[in-house]
Structures are given as C-alpha cells and as structure tokens.
Amino acid sequence: MGDFFYKPHDGWLADVIPFHEDGEFKLLYLKDWRDKEKYGEGTPWFLLGTKDFVDYTEYGEVLARGGEDEQDLYIYTGCILKADGRYHIFYTGNNFHYPSQGKKQQAVMHAVSDDMLHWTKIPEDAFYAREDLYEAHDWRDPFVFWNEEAGEYWMLLAARLKEGPANRRGCVALCASKDLSVWETREPFWAPYLYTTHECPDLFRIGDWWYLVYSTFSDRTVTHYRMSRSLQGPWTAPADDALDTRAFYAAKTWSDGQRRYAFGWNPTREGEHDYGTWQWGGDLIVHEIVQREDGTLFVKVPKTVGAAFANKVPFELSGVLGEWSLQSGHATANAADSFACATAGKLPDVCKITAKMTFRSNTRACGFVLKTDESLDRGYQIRFEPGRSRVVLDVWPRKGDIPFVVGMERPIELKPDVVCQVEVYVDGTVCEVYANGEIALSARLYDWKEGGWGVFVSEGQASFATELFER
C-alpha cells in the first residue's frame, strides 16, 4: 500500500464534510473500520486538518455514534457552518434497525460547538421526512446555507418523492429556517425524475452561476453537477456533467476564498481484486474546481499535490514492441498497423509520471502502460482514443467481453499534432490521472501489484516526452 492519498491507518475514509478557517481545511469525515466485531456497529465523524492536501493533522473522533437503540447509530453525511460565532453541524442520524421496529430509519440531526473538537448534540432539533411529500426512510445528507435573497437558511436534502416511478423518485428536498433550530419542509428544490436518489447535495456560486453537485448510484455511480443562473432553476446539464469516474464518489466542495475544491473518495474493491464489488469508503481524493468562460466546470490536480513530487527519478526507455526513436525521456513510434510499446523499468509504489504526448491523424490509441511484465502479457493501460474523444483505463488480459474497465471512462478532446499534457499519480492501488489540466480519471489497480511502466501506440504514430518523480 502507498501512503500519499489519505486514509486512516486502522480503517477507511468515507464522505467528507469540508470547512475552511484560519488557513486550514478542516475535514470532518465518516470513518468505517469494517470490523463490527472489534469496533462495534455504526460510523462516527472524525476530523482532519490540512493546509496542502499532502500533510494531515489527525484530531480524532469528534462526533460519537449513538447506541443500537438511538437514531444516530450511523452518523451519515451532513454539513458544517458557522453562525454568530458558533459552529453548527447538521447530520444524518441513520439506524438500520429502526424500520423493523416501526420507526423511521433516517432523521436530520443538529449539534453545536465552540471549537470544532467538542460537540453537543441537540436531540430535540431532530426532524423527519414529511410523509405527504416524501418517503419516510430516505431523508439524509443535509446541506445548509444562508439564502441572502430569501433572508433565511435553506437546507437541501437527499430524499425521495412519495409518488412516481419507483426508480425515478430521487429529488433534492428543501427545508427553511430562521434560527437553525426549527425547520419548515417545502416543495422539492429539484425533482427531475432522473435517479433513484441524489446523494450528498452541495451548492455553491461562482460569478453569475449556481452549481448543484450530487452523487448517484442508479443511472451510473458518479458525482454529477448541474448549473443555473437562478436558485429557482432550471438546472441544466453540461455536455460532461461528471467530475470524475466511478472511483470518485460523494464529493462535496468548499473554498479557501480563492480556489474551490471537491473532496471525494476513491473506493476500494471487495477482495482487493480488479473485478471485486466496489465498496463504501476508501482514500481521500481532492480536485480543484475551475470555471470556464461558458460557465461549465472542470477539475484539475491541486498545485500542492503536484509539487509534493519533486524528486526526479532517472530512467531509460527501451523498445519492447515496434520501432522506436528513443532519446532521454523522448520516445516516438510509427506503428501504422500494429501495436508498439516502450518500457522504462520498475514503477515506484508512490510516484508521478508527467508527459507531453502528441499523435498524428488516424491514430487509434496511445498512452501509458502501468505495472506490466516484461512480455507485456499483463498490466494496465491508460489509453487515449482520439476517434472516440475519450480516455479509459484498461486491464490486460481482460475478463470477458468488455472494452475497458467499467466506469473508467472520461471524455476529452484530442487533436492531432496538439500536445496533450498528462499527469499520472500512483499510490499503491490508487491511480489518479489528469489530462490537459481539465480531466480527472480516478481508478484502482489491484491484481497486478508491481511491474514496469512505459508508453504505447496502437495503429498510429505518437511521441512522448516523459518524466518520473517521487516524493
């Protein structure tokens, strides 16, 4: 295992509730030990501090889970805000045992603090779904903000409509309050009949645009966003409405006053295998969010993360298949009707690969191999496909009739003879790919633990100028 992308040493990090103050990001997160026998049932909130997404201060548990007979046995996602000098958190109290007892599984709950470390729960402020509008047991992930225009606090929630197609009832519910204590439930904020549920709703504004961020697991498991010039909508979808792949989930955002970041997690897979079921929780991944001129968003690697890999590692590329022109990190292959690959030795367990990649017209694919063996009979590919305007993660050999790893696909505009700048971060099984400073592709690499790395071209001509860095 690597040690760069944060996870607690004795468990896993799930949904992050970010906040920023005094030059430090304070990251509340749901901790899952995945060991009920040793640690008991339920999930508390822990707290991390970081100024650079590289080094972290662990403050420990700050919001304890309740008992098996209490609403907040599982303290699920919520939000934090500061009002009148005091910190408030609103969180989901979830108890899987309650429905069989005739009780509601989920409630919105409230706690306050003067220092973010010691929290006092206010049980009397808990409230439940209004059953004439919403289903009883889906009432979670509160996000609270001050609505200047309305002169009141608004709360967005992941909820489900009482009626409609069973798998399309997901909506963003709306509640309002003057005092952060008593909440009025209103008609839904957004009910598009698109998904089963809109998890972890998050809202922010940049310039003239409002952005609604949420995660889904029905249509596809991914973090989406929608945009509008008004809180009343319409909430329209950009051409690329996802922040990342299947391996970046439940992202919530916060700003340090200059830049906004998305905080999500790269999930593990059951059995630590490439085809294992995706699990809940994993390693913390942070993307910087940037607004384009047309209002659409893209994500890129935070500067501090890139700068953490400062030690250049020498290597020498060697042609394995095809004819290559090779010189000190530069490699060019002409493989008009074949596959060509050049490798550069063992891939470090924690590292960054950077490359300036160009290709000629009619090139079907080019990119990088990771953790491959000398015969190229196994390993991973980060494959750019110009004809399909996408980048995908592939594993070799494949299992069954699939073109690449399911969910590991991101759209990207690729033009012949125009440089594509790529950064690949590897931290044990975690892999984070950034391309042209605006596309992120998160992935897991399990089955092949180690091996070499290199570059490849498939039916075309491409050139690479590469560098390798360690911390």
Side-chain angles (χ1 to χ4, degrees), residues 305-335:
V305 172
F309 293 82
N311 299 317
K312 190 178 293 188
V313 179
F315 64 89
E316 186 173 335
L317 284 162
S318 176
V320 179
L321 281 177
E323 297 295 323
W324 287 85
S325 172
L326 302 169
Q327 187 175 6
S328 62
H330 290 72
T332 300
N334 189 345

mmCIF file of all heavy atoms in Angstrom, residues 305-335:
data_model
loop_
_atom_site.group_PDB
_atom_site.id
_atom_site.type_symbol
_atom_site.label_atom_id
_atom_site.label_comp_id
_atom_site.label_asym_id
_atom_site.label_seq_id
_atom_site.Cartn_x
_atom_site.Cartn_y
_atom_site.Cartn_z
ATOM 1 N N VAL A 305 -0.448 19.264 -4.479
ATOM 2 C CA VAL A 305 -0.299 17.819 -4.696
ATOM 3 C C VAL A 305 0.759 17.552 -5.756
ATOM 4 O O VAL A 305 1.643 16.710 -5.580
ATOM 5 C CB VAL A 305 -1.647 17.196 -5.100
ATOM 6 C CG1 VAL A 305 -1.472 15.740 -5.517
ATOM 7 C CG2 VAL A 305 -2.645 17.299 -3.948
ATOM 8 N N GLY A 306 0.693 18.295 -6.856
ATOM 9 C CA GLY A 306 1.710 18.127 -7.896
ATOM 10 C C GLY A 306 3.102 18.456 -7.400
ATOM 11 O O GLY A 306 4.078 17.761 -7.710
ATOM 12 N N ALA A 307 3.205 19.532 -6.584
ATOM 13 C CA ALA A 307 4.512 19.970 -6.100
ATOM 14 C C ALA A 307 5.112 19.008 -5.082
ATOM 15 O O ALA A 307 6.323 19.051 -4.827
ATOM 16 C CB ALA A 307 4.395 21.365 -5.485
ATOM 17 N N ALA A 308 4.287 18.143 -4.496
ATOM 18 C CA ALA A 308 4.797 17.199 -3.487
ATOM 19 C C ALA A 308 5.735 16.162 -4.089
ATOM 20 O O ALA A 308 6.537 15.551 -3.380
ATOM 21 C CB ALA A 308 3.625 16.501 -2.795
ATOM 22 N N PHE A 309 5.643 15.973 -5.397
ATOM 23 C CA PHE A 309 6.519 15.017 -6.082
ATOM 24 C C PHE A 309 7.625 15.809 -6.783
ATOM 25 O O PHE A 309 7.483 16.226 -7.930
ATOM 26 C CB PHE A 309 5.713 14.190 -7.092
ATOM 27 C CG PHE A 309 4.715 13.278 -6.446
ATOM 28 C CD1 PHE A 309 3.472 13.758 -6.037
ATOM 29 C CD2 PHE A 309 5.011 11.944 -6.221
ATOM 30 C CE1 PHE A 309 2.553 12.919 -5.437
ATOM 31 C CE2 PHE A 309 4.101 11.100 -5.613
ATOM 32 C CZ PHE A 309 2.868 11.589 -5.223
ATOM 33 N N ALA A 310 8.696 16.042 -6.053
ATOM 34 C CA ALA A 310 9.736 16.957 -6.525
ATOM 35 C C ALA A 310 11.040 16.262 -6.906
ATOM 36 O O ALA A 310 11.932 16.895 -7.467
ATOM 37 C CB ALA A 310 10.018 18.008 -5.454
ATOM 38 N N ASN A 311 11.171 14.985 -6.584
ATOM 39 C CA ASN A 311 12.433 14.280 -6.830
ATOM 40 C C ASN A 311 12.379 13.531 -8.155
ATOM 41 O O ASN A 311 11.679 12.522 -8.290
ATOM 42 C CB ASN A 311 12.713 13.300 -5.684
ATOM 43 C CG ASN A 311 12.848 14.005 -4.348
ATOM 44 O OD1 ASN A 311 13.494 15.048 -4.255
ATOM 45 N ND2 ASN A 311 12.218 13.453 -3.310
ATOM 46 N N LYS A 312 13.142 14.051 -9.115
ATOM 47 C CA LYS A 312 13.140 13.432 -10.435
ATOM 48 C C LYS A 312 13.896 12.108 -10.389
ATOM 49 O O LYS A 312 14.996 12.029 -9.831
ATOM 50 C CB LYS A 312 13.764 14.374 -11.453
ATOM 51 C CG LYS A 312 13.580 13.924 -12.903
ATOM 52 C CD LYS A 312 14.177 14.912 -13.890
ATOM 53 C CE LYS A 312 13.408 16.222 -13.886
ATOM 54 N NZ LYS A 312 13.865 17.113 -14.984
ATOM 55 N N VAL A 313 13.308 11.085 -10.986
ATOM 56 C CA VAL A 313 13.899 9.742 -10.994
ATOM 57 C C VAL A 313 14.433 9.455 -12.392
ATOM 58 O O VAL A 313 13.688 9.533 -13.378
ATOM 59 C CB VAL A 313 12.849 8.683 -10.613
ATOM 60 C CG1 VAL A 313 13.462 7.285 -10.641
ATOM 61 C CG2 VAL A 313 12.256 8.983 -9.239
ATOM 62 N N PRO A 314 15.714 9.108 -12.505
ATOM 63 C CA PRO A 314 16.248 8.786 -13.832
ATOM 64 C C PRO A 314 15.698 7.458 -14.345
ATOM 65 O O PRO A 314 15.436 6.537 -13.573
ATOM 66 C CB PRO A 314 17.759 8.697 -13.599
ATOM 67 C CG PRO A 314 17.888 8.357 -12.154
ATOM 68 C CD PRO A 314 16.745 9.004 -11.458
ATOM 69 N N PHE A 315 15.510 7.371 -15.645
ATOM 70 C CA PHE A 315 15.067 6.120 -16.259
ATOM 71 C C PHE A 315 15.504 6.106 -17.715
ATOM 72 O O PHE A 315 15.881 7.139 -18.283
ATOM 73 C CB PHE A 315 13.534 5.969 -16.172
ATOM 74 C CG PHE A 315 12.774 7.018 -16.951
ATOM 75 C CD1 PHE A 315 12.440 6.822 -18.282
ATOM 76 C CD2 PHE A 315 12.408 8.213 -16.338
ATOM 77 C CE1 PHE A 315 11.747 7.787 -18.991
ATOM 78 C CE2 PHE A 315 11.717 9.191 -17.046
ATOM 79 C CZ PHE A 315 11.384 8.980 -18.381
ATOM 80 N N GLU A 316 15.410 4.951 -18.317
ATOM 81 C CA GLU A 316 15.778 4.812 -19.725
ATOM 82 C C GLU A 316 14.719 3.988 -20.434
ATOM 83 O O GLU A 316 14.425 2.858 -20.038
ATOM 84 C CB GLU A 316 17.137 4.126 -19.861
ATOM 85 C CG GLU A 316 17.643 4.071 -21.290
ATOM 86 C CD GLU A 316 19.064 3.534 -21.380
ATOM 87 O OE1 GLU A 316 19.808 3.655 -20.391
ATOM 88 O OE2 GLU A 316 19.403 2.988 -22.458
ATOM 89 N N LEU A 317 14.102 4.579 -21.450
ATOM 90 C CA LEU A 317 13.096 3.869 -22.224
ATOM 91 C C LEU A 317 13.752 2.855 -23.147
ATOM 92 O O LEU A 317 14.812 3.124 -23.724
ATOM 93 C CB LEU A 317 12.261 4.849 -23.048
ATOM 94 C CG LEU A 317 11.203 5.643 -22.269
ATOM 95 C CD1 LEU A 317 10.751 6.854 -23.066
ATOM 96 C CD2 LEU A 317 10.008 4.744 -21.940
ATOM 97 N N SER A 318 13.099 1.720 -23.287
ATOM 98 C CA SER A 318 13.616 0.653 -24.136
ATOM 99 C C SER A 318 12.475 0.076 -24.970
ATOM 100 O O SER A 318 11.415 -0.270 -24.423
ATOM 101 C CB SER A 318 14.247 -0.448 -23.276
ATOM 102 O OG SER A 318 14.675 -1.528 -24.072
ATOM 103 N N GLY A 319 12.663 -0.006 -26.268
ATOM 104 C CA GLY A 319 11.627 -0.541 -27.139
ATOM 105 C C GLY A 319 11.414 -2.028 -26.908
ATOM 106 O O GLY A 319 12.367 -2.800 -26.900
ATOM 107 N N VAL A 320 10.170 -2.432 -26.688
ATOM 108 C CA VAL A 320 9.829 -3.844 -26.498
ATOM 109 C C VAL A 320 9.120 -4.395 -27.720
ATOM 110 O O VAL A 320 9.400 -5.504 -28.172
ATOM 111 C CB VAL A 320 8.937 -4.020 -25.244
ATOM 112 C CG1 VAL A 320 8.553 -5.479 -25.049
ATOM 113 C CG2 VAL A 320 9.640 -3.483 -24.013
ATOM 114 N N LEU A 321 8.194 -3.627 -28.266
ATOM 115 C CA LEU A 321 7.498 -3.974 -29.497
ATOM 116 C C LEU A 321 7.532 -2.778 -30.435
ATOM 117 O O LEU A 321 7.369 -1.637 -30.002
ATOM 118 C CB LEU A 321 6.036 -4.341 -29.221
ATOM 119 C CG LEU A 321 5.710 -5.730 -28.670
ATOM 120 C CD1 LEU A 321 4.210 -5.841 -28.418
ATOM 121 C CD2 LEU A 321 6.165 -6.823 -29.636
ATOM 122 N N GLY A 322 7.735 -3.024 -31.733
ATOM 123 C CA GLY A 322 7.713 -1.959 -32.716
ATOM 124 C C GLY A 322 9.032 -1.218 -32.815
ATOM 125 O O GLY A 322 9.979 -1.452 -32.060
ATOM 126 N N GLU A 323 9.070 -0.289 -33.755
ATOM 127 C CA GLU A 323 10.260 0.513 -33.995
ATOM 128 C C GLU A 323 10.122 1.860 -33.296
ATOM 129 O O GLU A 323 9.176 2.605 -33.540
ATOM 130 C CB GLU A 323 10.460 0.722 -35.496
ATOM 131 C CG GLU A 323 10.698 -0.566 -36.274
ATOM 132 C CD GLU A 323 11.995 -1.241 -35.866
ATOM 133 O OE1 GLU A 323 12.977 -0.513 -35.587
ATOM 134 O OE2 GLU A 323 12.020 -2.483 -35.816
ATOM 135 N N TRP A 324 11.095 2.159 -32.421
ATOM 136 C CA TRP A 324 11.051 3.390 -31.633
ATOM 137 C C TRP A 324 12.279 4.254 -31.874
ATOM 138 O O TRP A 324 13.383 3.737 -32.056
ATOM 139 C CB TRP A 324 10.984 3.063 -30.146
ATOM 140 C CG TRP A 324 9.657 2.524 -29.702
ATOM 141 C CD1 TRP A 324 9.246 1.222 -29.751
ATOM 142 C CD2 TRP A 324 8.571 3.280 -29.161
ATOM 143 N NE1 TRP A 324 7.972 1.107 -29.277
ATOM 144 C CE2 TRP A 324 7.526 2.360 -28.890
ATOM 145 C CE3 TRP A 324 8.384 4.628 -28.866
ATOM 146 C CZ2 TRP A 324 6.306 2.755 -28.360
ATOM 147 C CZ3 TRP A 324 7.170 5.027 -28.329
ATOM 148 C CH2 TRP A 324 6.142 4.095 -28.083
ATOM 149 N N SER A 325 12.057 5.545 -31.843
ATOM 150 C CA SER A 325 13.152 6.503 -31.764
ATOM 151 C C SER A 325 13.195 6.987 -30.321
ATOM 152 O O SER A 325 12.247 7.627 -29.842
ATOM 153 C CB SER A 325 12.908 7.674 -32.717
ATOM 154 O OG SER A 325 13.874 8.683 -32.510
ATOM 155 N N LEU A 326 14.297 6.683 -29.611
ATOM 156 C CA LEU A 326 14.361 6.925 -28.169
ATOM 157 C C LEU A 326 15.551 7.796 -27.824
ATOM 158 O O LEU A 326 16.668 7.563 -28.296
ATOM 159 C CB LEU A 326 14.488 5.586 -27.424
ATOM 160 C CG LEU A 326 13.370 4.567 -27.671
ATOM 161 C CD1 LEU A 326 13.744 3.217 -27.092
ATOM 162 C CD2 LEU A 326 12.066 5.062 -27.068
ATOM 163 N N GLN A 327 15.308 8.798 -26.974
ATOM 164 C CA GLN A 327 16.398 9.663 -26.532
ATOM 165 C C GLN A 327 15.999 10.400 -25.263
ATOM 166 O O GLN A 327 15.103 11.238 -25.291
ATOM 167 C CB GLN A 327 16.771 10.668 -27.629
ATOM 168 C CG GLN A 327 18.013 11.489 -27.282
ATOM 169 C CD GLN A 327 18.423 12.390 -28.429
ATOM 170 O OE1 GLN A 327 17.730 12.484 -29.436
ATOM 171 N NE2 GLN A 327 19.548 13.073 -28.266
ATOM 172 N N SER A 328 16.605 10.064 -24.144
ATOM 173 C CA SER A 328 16.470 10.733 -22.837
ATOM 174 C C SER A 328 15.045 11.194 -22.524
ATOM 175 O O SER A 328 14.778 12.385 -22.437
ATOM 176 C CB SER A 328 17.427 11.933 -22.742
ATOM 177 O OG SER A 328 17.114 12.896 -23.738
ATOM 178 N N GLY A 329 14.170 10.234 -22.355
ATOM 179 C CA GLY A 329 12.797 10.544 -21.990
ATOM 180 C C GLY A 329 11.876 10.857 -23.141
ATOM 181 O O GLY A 329 10.673 10.983 -22.955
ATOM 182 N N HIS A 330 12.430 10.994 -24.329
ATOM 183 C CA HIS A 330 11.627 11.250 -25.519
ATOM 184 C C HIS A 330 11.487 9.954 -26.316
ATOM 185 O O HIS A 330 12.478 9.244 -26.531
ATOM 186 C CB HIS A 330 12.255 12.339 -26.383
ATOM 187 C CG HIS A 330 12.194 13.694 -25.769
ATOM 188 N ND1 HIS A 330 12.964 14.055 -24.685
ATOM 189 C CD2 HIS A 330 11.431 14.783 -26.077
ATOM 190 C CE1 HIS A 330 12.703 15.316 -24.348
ATOM 191 N NE2 HIS A 330 11.772 15.777 -25.175
ATOM 192 N N ALA A 331 10.283 9.689 -26.760
ATOM 193 C CA ALA A 331 10.037 8.447 -27.491
ATOM 194 C C ALA A 331 9.030 8.699 -28.600
ATOM 195 O O ALA A 331 8.002 9.340 -28.387
ATOM 196 C CB ALA A 331 9.515 7.368 -26.547
ATOM 197 N N THR A 332 9.323 8.172 -29.788
ATOM 198 C CA THR A 332 8.417 8.284 -30.934
ATOM 199 C C THR A 332 8.322 6.930 -31.613
ATOM 200 O O THR A 332 9.343 6.265 -31.826
ATOM 201 C CB THR A 332 8.904 9.327 -31.955
ATOM 202 O OG1 THR A 332 8.981 10.607 -31.322
ATOM 203 C CG2 THR A 332 7.966 9.416 -33.148
ATOM 204 N N ALA A 333 7.112 6.534 -31.939
ATOM 205 C CA ALA A 333 6.915 5.264 -32.643
ATOM 206 C C ALA A 333 5.962 5.472 -33.810
ATOM 207 O O ALA A 333 4.992 6.224 -33.713
ATOM 208 C CB ALA A 333 6.356 4.207 -31.712
ATOM 209 N N ASN A 334 6.259 4.795 -34.901
ATOM 210 C CA ASN A 334 5.371 4.755 -36.056
ATOM 211 C C ASN A 334 4.879 3.324 -36.192
ATOM 212 O O ASN A 334 5.643 2.440 -36.554
ATOM 213 C CB ASN A 334 6.113 5.202 -37.321
ATOM 214 C CG ASN A 334 5.171 5.382 -38.504
ATOM 215 O OD1 ASN A 334 4.027 4.923 -38.458
ATOM 216 N ND2 ASN A 334 5.648 6.048 -39.546
ATOM 217 N N ALA A 335 3.627 3.136 -35.829
ATOM 218 C CA ALA A 335 3.053 1.788 -35.850
ATOM 219 C C ALA A 335 1.706 1.859 -36.558
ATOM 220 O O ALA A 335 0.650 1.666 -35.959
ATOM 221 C CB ALA A 335 2.901 1.261 -34.430
#
